[in-house]
Amino acid sequence: MDLYLGNLADRIMSNGKLQKLFRADIISLGEMLSDKHEIPNMQRPFEWHTNSGKKHVPQLWKDLVEFTEDDSEKEDLYYTGTLICYKEKNKWFVIDGQQRITTLSLLFIAIRDIFDNSWSKHSGKKIKFRGKNLDYKDFSKTIQDLTIGNSKSPRLQPKMDNTKNTNAYRWRMKKEPRSSPGYGIDSPTLRTNQAYIYLKSEIKDKFNSLITHKDIENISSFIDHLLNGVVFNRTTVKDMAQGYRIFSSENTTGLKLNHMDITRALMLAQIDRKSLRKAENKVIHNLARMTKVMAERSTAQKNKFIRSFWVIREGKPLSQSPLLNTMGLEIKKLNIENIEIFALEISKWATKYSHEIIDTLPNMGHYKIHKNLKSCGFSQHEILLLALLMRKGSYKPSDSQLNKILEIVEILYVRYMLVGRLPGNKFETLFAKWANKVYNNVTINSLELIMKGDIAEIEEPAEFGNNFSRLHYKSKSVATYLLSKIELFNTPSLDVISDFENATVERVIPKKDQYSWYIPTIVRNSEWEELYDPSDWADKIDEKLFSYSLVYEKVSKTTQKEVFIRPFYDGIKNCIVENSGPFVYNRSFFEDLTTFHKSAAANRGKKLGKDAEKVWPSIV
């Protein structure tokens, strides 16, 4: 599901207003388990399966493991759905979410019991957990205090009925000896026991039954990751009747929470918190527009849009926690005068991002440079480009002004990052600063001066042309971009878009490991021999930029193999010339070349280096 509030917004739009007051809060698993929850008696029993049907318990476990493994930097969030609750005194009564809460509680009961049963093997050892060094013997109690509670004050109170399933949960949670051995609460047919046994087995398997201290460190990190990174949207309703009306139309399947969902939830929660009823229809309408225009985009693209939106406004890079804090603080400041404006603004930015940043068309002035940079795997420029595209009226840049700014970005990318090998994160602060200047309507001429001034403060990598002449092959996309720009510089009559849409690169010098079955013969008996002399080349010559040629059509593998077997002038040369299409500069080089020996390779590299100095001139 897209987030409970997203579906609710659609119903609200059809009804014209919220049916009842509610509050929606994004809370972590740790926060949720620190509160007391109770399952009302009219709820169905615990029904999640482990080995039949939809296998909800194994799926939740798999999702949690994948989340922690994919999020090694602990910057992401995993959304497990909506909790619909109403509160009486200090206890939350669960209308929707009891299956998930019960399963997650059983997970921590299983973790507690595993530690209980293994403490003697690690007696006296310390565990680092949530910033503290704990004795191993105390870790079980710490987990219980944080997530489960005790028999007198349980964090989750199951239904107050007397069914075996409910009593089995109480027995597992309290960790008490059975008072009635024949009662059957340990029966493996009970869903509660099946979930507990399954989770305990999976935890032991994943963490090697806590045999080594490294296993202990790993499970400690895993638990901490879950408590902080697993989140819920806890929707608080007025009473049980209102909660069930909402629950009846909602699907609360778990998935990763993206930043767009969080933004929408915070906005709607602000309407409720501040009683901004007059603004709700327009706000909901524009949030729905934002959701619709980005509906087919990936989670990563949605996250990137929201991050870009806030980075541009703030003028500084924002990692996960600062981003979420900034979003929360700013949205909480919105009032009746500006919440409608904000919702309209973010929907317009989403439309622009979707249609002109993600799906750029050839008729757009920024198309070619933006596409080139994206094909090379470079995207830092996007926040600057988005800010420029959002300008209106007299502040809106012309296509020539837009490309003038993007040309500076290209020079920065090629000279400083690609050839100079400076890390991209070195420039994150600059791009955020420049985008913010654009957002605050600095003139294009002033922006250009600011950019050049900021870049001038960075030490420029030395010997650009010389290093470019020996540039190591990065990828076909990067090589195609570089050789295409040089071709266009030397053949200005070419159309910047149509003549380069089918451009690609092909290897001039055979790659040894790719053609090992016939290369040895070529190396021993032809002009290729000296090219592979290890005494003259520090690294593989067949992976240098100058060993690639720009072609108009992709050369088939069959043709490629055939031309590599034959002498150069009869094979590779003709193949490249024939496939050069409109690329006059590229074709003329090979037409005049009788063989591609070591000096020819070096000369081609030097020529490319000299051209590169002109195509990407120094900004300083």
Side-chain angles (χ1 to χ4, degrees):
M1 108 142 199
D2 207 16
L3 182 65
Y4 153 70
L5 287 173
N7 287 342
L8 179 60
D10 294 335
R11 295 194 299 108
I12 291 167
M13 288 180 65
S14 63
N15 294 337
K17 62 180 181 179
L18 289 170
Q19 296 178 10
K20 293 287 183 180
L21 296 179
F22 66 92
R23 173 176 174 143
D25 296 292
I26 304 299
I27 62 170
S28 69
L29 175 60
E31 291 172 314
M32 188 274 289
L33 292 175
S34 69
D35 290 329
K36 293 182 179 180
H37 291 81
E38 182 170 322
I39 310 300
N41 281 343
M42 68 285 300
Q43 284 277 34
R44 60 179 177 167
F46 180 72
E47 294 179 343
W48 271 17
H49 293 255
T50 58
N51 53 15
S52 63
K54 293 185 178 180
K55 299 182 180 179
H56 295 91
V57 176
Q59 185 60 54
L60 178 59
W61 170 254
K62 178 184 176 183
D63 291 344
L64 294 176
V65 170
E66 287 182 352
F67 162 63
T68 56
E69 290 177 348
D70 292 344
D71 183 32
S72 59
E73 299 299 321
K74 296 187 177 182
E75 292 186 347
D76 205 352
L77 298 174
Y78 180 79
Y79 178 57
T80 55
T82 299
L83 301 179
I84 301 177
C85 307
Y86 67 95
K87 194 173 185 181
E88 290 184 1
K89 296 182 179 179
N90 67 336
K91 189 176 293 185
W92 298 86
F93 287 83
V94 181
I95 297 172
D96 181 32
Q98 69 132 331
Q99 305 290 332
R100 281 162 290 145
I101 291 179
T102 303
T103 303
L104 289 165
S105 296
L106 287 168
L107 171 68
F108 286 98
I109 291 172
I111 291 173
R112 176 202 64 186
D113 293 349
I114 290 171
F115 272 94
D116 264 355
N117 295 332
S118 61
W119 74 268
S120 59
K121 294 185 294 186
H122 304 285
S123 180
K125 292 185 178 179
K126 297 284 187 179
I127 305 175
K128 187 174 182 180
F129 181 65
R130 299 176 82 79
K132 297 181 180 179
N133 286 319
L134 303 175
D135 289 331
Y136 190 93
K137 62 182 179 64
D138 297 330
F139 195 72
S140 172
K141 186 177 185 305
T142 299
I143 292 298
Q144 178 161 322
D145 291 343
L146 281 174
T147 63
I148 305 164
N150 53 50
S151 58
K152 293 183 179 180
S153 181
R155 297 296 170 77
L156 175 63
Q157 177 65 55
K159 296 168 65 173
M160 298 302 291
D161 60 14
N162 199 34
T163 63
K164 290 183 180 180
N165 210 45
T166 300
N167 286 327
Y169 176 84
R170 291 196 184 98
W171 170 55
R172 296 286 184 189
M173 186 272 296
K174 294 179 181 179
K175 196 176 57 175
E176 294 177 346
R178 285 180 53 193
S179 58
S180 178
Y183 189 61
I185 58 176
D186 56 351
S187 170
T189 63
L190 298 178
R191 296 275 185 249
T192 298
N193 289 330
Q194 289 175 351
Y196 171 84
I197 293 167
Y198 173 85
L199 292 168
K200 191 173 182 180
S201 174
E202 290 295 317
I203 295 164
K204 284 184 175 181
D205 183 60
K206 178 172 175 59
F207 297 103
N208 196 31
S209 296
L210 304 188
I211 292 174
T212 69
H213 192 68
K214 183 63 176 178
D215 300 327
I216 298 169
E217 291 177 343
N218 288 340
I219 194 173
S220 173
S221 176
F222 176 76
I223 295 168
D224 190 54
H225 202 164
L226 293 185
L227 292 175
N228 292 326
V230 174
V231 297
F232 300 81
N233 168 28
R234 184 163 65 189
T235 300
T236 307
V237 294
K238 181 179 179 181
D239 53 31
M240 186 179 296
Q242 181 198 0
Y244 271 103
R245 282 197 296 272
I246 295 174
F247 169 65
S248 64
S249 65
E250 296 307 323
N251 168 24
T252 53
T253 306
L255 59 120
K256 286 187 178 180
L257 182 66
N258 66 66
H259 297 339
M260 188 173 291
D261 291 335
I262 296 175
T263 301
R264 188 170 59 235
L266 291 172
M267 290 283 288
L268 292 174
Q270 179 69 357
I271 289 177
D272 178 56
R273 185 183 298 111
K274 294 293 185 180
S275 298
L276 307 179
R277 299 294 149 205
K278 292 182 181 180
E280 69 184 23
N281 286 341
K282 289 184 179 180
V283 170
I284 290 168
H285 173 73
N286 283 304
L287 292 179
R289 283 179 57 192
M290 176 186 73
T291 302
K292 183 177 180 180
V293 77
M294 294 291 289
E296 301 302 318
R297 305 306 181 185
S298 67
T299 297
Q301 288 171 325
K302 291 175 182 177
N303 286 346
K304 195 170 184 179
F305 161 64
I306 293 295
R307 189 184 299 277
S308 298
F309 179 78
W310 289 100
V311 167
I312 291 169
R313 293 167 66 90
E314 294 295 308
K316 60 183 179 182
L318 294 171
S319 58
Q320 181 80 359
S321 294
L323 171 64
L324 296 178
N325 290 337
T326 298
M327 290 164 55
L329 290 172
E330 289 301 310
I331 290 175
K332 282 184 178 180
K333 295 177 183 178
L334 298 175
N335 54 35
I336 192 67
E337 287 79 25
N338 54 29
I339 195 168
E340 290 182 358
I341 297 172
F342 182 88
L344 176 61
E345 182 180 11
I346 198 169
S347 72
K348 288 182 176 180
W349 282 71
T351 301
K352 184 70 69 173
Y353 186 83
S354 179
H355 295 338
E356 298 190 34
I357 299 293
I358 298 177
D359 292 335
T360 316
L361 299 176
N363 63 349
M364 298 175 181
H366 61 285
Y367 171 78
K368 187 58 180 176
I369 297 180
H370 177 51
K371 182 183 177 183
N372 283 340
L373 291 171
K374 279 178 47 174
S375 71
C376 294
F378 182 74
S379 61
Q380 287 188 358
H381 69 289
E382 289 183 357
I383 59 170
L384 176 59
L385 177 58
L386 179 60
L388 287 164
L389 293 173
M390 285 302 299
R391 287 169 62 128
K392 299 176 182 178
S394 60
Y395 294 106
K396 184 177 180 179
S398 65
D399 287 349
S400 61
Q401 288 177 317
L402 200 59
N403 282 304
K404 195 171 185 180
I405 296 300
L406 291 178
E407 284 168 3
I408 296 175
V409 175
E410 282 189 296
I411 293 172
L412 182 66
Y413 168 64
V414 176
R415 291 189 75 97
Y416 289 79
M417 300 184 201
L418 195 59
V419 179
R421 298 184 179 181
L422 294 180
N425 57 17
K426 186 177 182 67
F427 302 94
E428 286 181 2
T429 301
L430 290 183
F431 277 105
K433 171 188 173 181
W434 299 336
N436 182 256
K437 293 289 185 182
V438 174
Y439 179 71
N440 288 298
N441 289 324
V442 69
T443 66
I444 300 300
N445 289 338
S446 296
L447 174 65
E448 184 180 348
L449 293 175
I450 291 169
M451 292 176 69
K452 289 181 176 179
D454 289 337
I455 295 172
E457 294 182 5
I458 302 171
E459 185 177 354
E460 185 175 27
E463 299 185 331
F464 170 70
N466 185 42
N467 289 328
F468 190 95
S469 70
R470 296 175 293 169
L471 187 64
H472 195 273
Y473 168 72
K474 300 289 184 182
S475 70
K476 270 204 166 186
S477 296
V478 173
T480 301
Y481 162 67
L482 295 173
L483 294 180
S484 293
K485 290 286 289 188
I486 290 174
E487 175 70 36
L488 183 63
F489 175 80
N490 286 285
T491 317
S493 61
L494 293 176
D495 186 277
V496 70
I497 295 176
S498 62
D499 285 333
F500 289 93
E501 285 297 281
N502 295 318
T504 185
V505 292
E506 289 294 343
R507 196 187 307 274
V508 175
I509 302 173
K511 189 172 178 63
K512 284 186 177 183
D513 55 1
Q514 187 176 355
Y515 306 103
S516 58
W517 62 278
Y518 64 84
I519 284 296
T521 303
I522 294 176
V523 172
R524 288 195 302 270
N525 302 319
S526 76
E527 63 269 21
W528 300 108
E529 184 174 1
E530 64 177 5
L531 289 170
Y532 290 104
D533 183 353
S535 64
D536 291 329
W537 299 94
D539 49 356
K540 296 180 179 179
I541 188 174
D542 56 10
E543 294 185 1
K544 297 290 187 180
L545 180 64
F546 59 67
S547 74
Y548 283 79
S549 171
L550 189 68
V551 293
Y552 194 62
E553 297 177 355
K554 186 174 178 62
V555 179
S556 70
K557 290 185 177 180
T558 301
T559 304
Q560 203 174 44
K561 288 182 179 180
E562 289 176 356
V563 300
F564 281 149
I565 294 174
R566 292 179 289 169
F568 174 80
Y569 61 88
D570 187 37
I572 295 176
K573 173 183 175 180
N574 292 340
C575 180
I576 291 172
V577 170
E578 289 170 6
N579 287 276
S580 290
F583 305 141
V584 178
Y585 175 73
N586 179 83
R587 183 169 58 251
S588 64
F589 175 85
F590 289 100
E591 283 178 335
D592 295 338
L593 193 65
T594 57
T595 184
F596 202 68
H597 47 72
K598 187 164 59 178
S599 61
N603 288 337
R604 177 165 164 77
K606 290 177 182 178
K607 176 59 177 170
L608 291 175
K610 290 179 180 179
D611 287 336
E613 286 280 16
K614 301 172 185 175
V615 176
W616 299 280
S618 174
I619 296 174
V620 180

